[in-house]
Amino acid sequence: MFESLSDRLNGVFKKFRGQGRLDEENIRAGLREVRLALLEADVNYKVVKDFVDRVRERAMGQDVLKSLTPGQQVVKIVHDELVELLGGEQQDLELRAKGPAVIMMVGLQGSGKTTTTGKLALHLRKDRKMSPLMVPADVYRPAAIQQLTSLGKQLDMPVFASSTEMNPVDIAKNAVAQAEAEGQDVVILDTAGRLHIDEHLMEELANIKAAVSPNEILFVADAMTGQDAVNVADRFNDLLDVSGIVLTKMDGDARGGAALSIKSVTDKPIKFVGVGEKLSELEIFHPDRIAGRILG
Ligand code: GDP
């Protein structure tokens, strides 16, 4: 992930570091290359513009230009701004609740919602010692119910017995009641997706949200779809006020555009990234580590 962006930026930084002195003109020239590298990585153009403007403003400060190591300082400014772009501090799931905590997974079909539901359940059991109930709430595709049921078997974890005759709001409410009765402390709702955003789906998701007041609504986005993922995230967020984002398929050759744009555009943090098809292949998203990896 981020290999070609990383190579490009390191090329620019080598030049910065190699120059004993920097002046406004060579900073400008270097930042033009940073701008191109970000655009080539498919970062949203407005995000790129704001980013480069912020770096330029800080880099042109006299204390940077007059310092003994201006090149290093500019690289540090880019690093700091990159951490901010990726969301600043790492953001944990907020799961305090009186009864079972509720996590609602939303996103388009194929984005990796069901797989991520299984990954998240495993993470919560393993790292937070929680006891999850997974809930298939996509009643339009029997295969979706089947897929989560089989993940439950693999993980030896309970799955709510949804059927295509039930309505998703009832499924969500009944699942929370069942978890409460049976002692599971977190319910993960795997909601229906579509190939495109449609009104019926959005209304259904809003109704589920109103019925069970989730602690977290996680928008699952396929990083390989680049700026489309960012636009869809923005729409879902407008309608549902999501609490966080999971970027899947970061193990593929996604150029990084979605990861670098989605927080700025939606103002919602990336909480996890999917880095493979296996259930263990979910990572907590740490902006500083990712920035380090990009500038590595
Ligand atoms: P849903 O329709 O949103 O529930 O999507 P699925 O969970 O069924 O995932 C769609 C496809 O993406 C499946 O083939 C998954 O194995 C694959 N997938 C999901 N997450 C990842 C990931 O992080 N990396 C890779 N390489 N594949 C993933």
Side-chain angles (χ1 to χ4, degrees), residues 91-95 101-106 120 128 187 189 213-219 241-245 269 271-272:
Q91 307 258 341
D92 263 342
L93 291 179
E94 177 47 73
L95 297 178
V102 177
I103 303 174
M104 183 173 164
M105 312 296 288
V106 301
L120 204 54
R128 290 178 70 159
V187 171
L189 299 173
S213 310
N215 295 68
E216 292 272 353
I217 301 179
L218 298 179
F219 175 76
D241 188 21
V242 308
S243 60
I245 291 158
K271 295 200 170 177
F272 295 93

Side-chain angles (χ1 to χ4, degrees), residues 1-3 5 41 86 110-112 116 119 220-226 229-230 245-262 270-278 281-287 289-291 293-294:
M1 101 180 81
F2 302 120
E3 281 83 5
L5 175 62
L86 290 162
S111 60
T116 306
K119 288 176 171 181
V220 180
D222 176 345
M224 301 289 288
T225 61
V230 178
I245 291 158
V246 182
L247 271 186
T248 63
K249 310 186 197 179
M250 290 290 282
D251 50 309
D253 60 356
R255 283 174 289 167
L260 288 160
S261 315
I262 212 160
I270 301 173
K271 295 200 170 177
F272 295 93
V273 288
V275 293
E277 295 193 73
K278 287 202 226 100
E281 290 174 317
L282 181 75
E283 290 178 4
I284 294 175
F285 187 78
H286 292 280
R289 288 188 208 162
I290 300 288
R293 212 183 282 182
I294 295 172

Side-chain angles (χ1 to χ4, degrees), residues 16 57 100 133 178 208 242 285 291:
F16 269 143
E57 191 171 315
L133 174 65
Q178 181 183 310
I208 296 176
V242 308
F285 187 78

Side-chain angles (χ1 to χ4, degrees), residues 143-156:
I145 299 181
Q146 192 45 48
Q147 190 185 347
L148 196 63
T149 308
S150 109
L151 286 182
K153 287 210 179 85
Q154 255 183 66
L155 291 169
D156 192 21

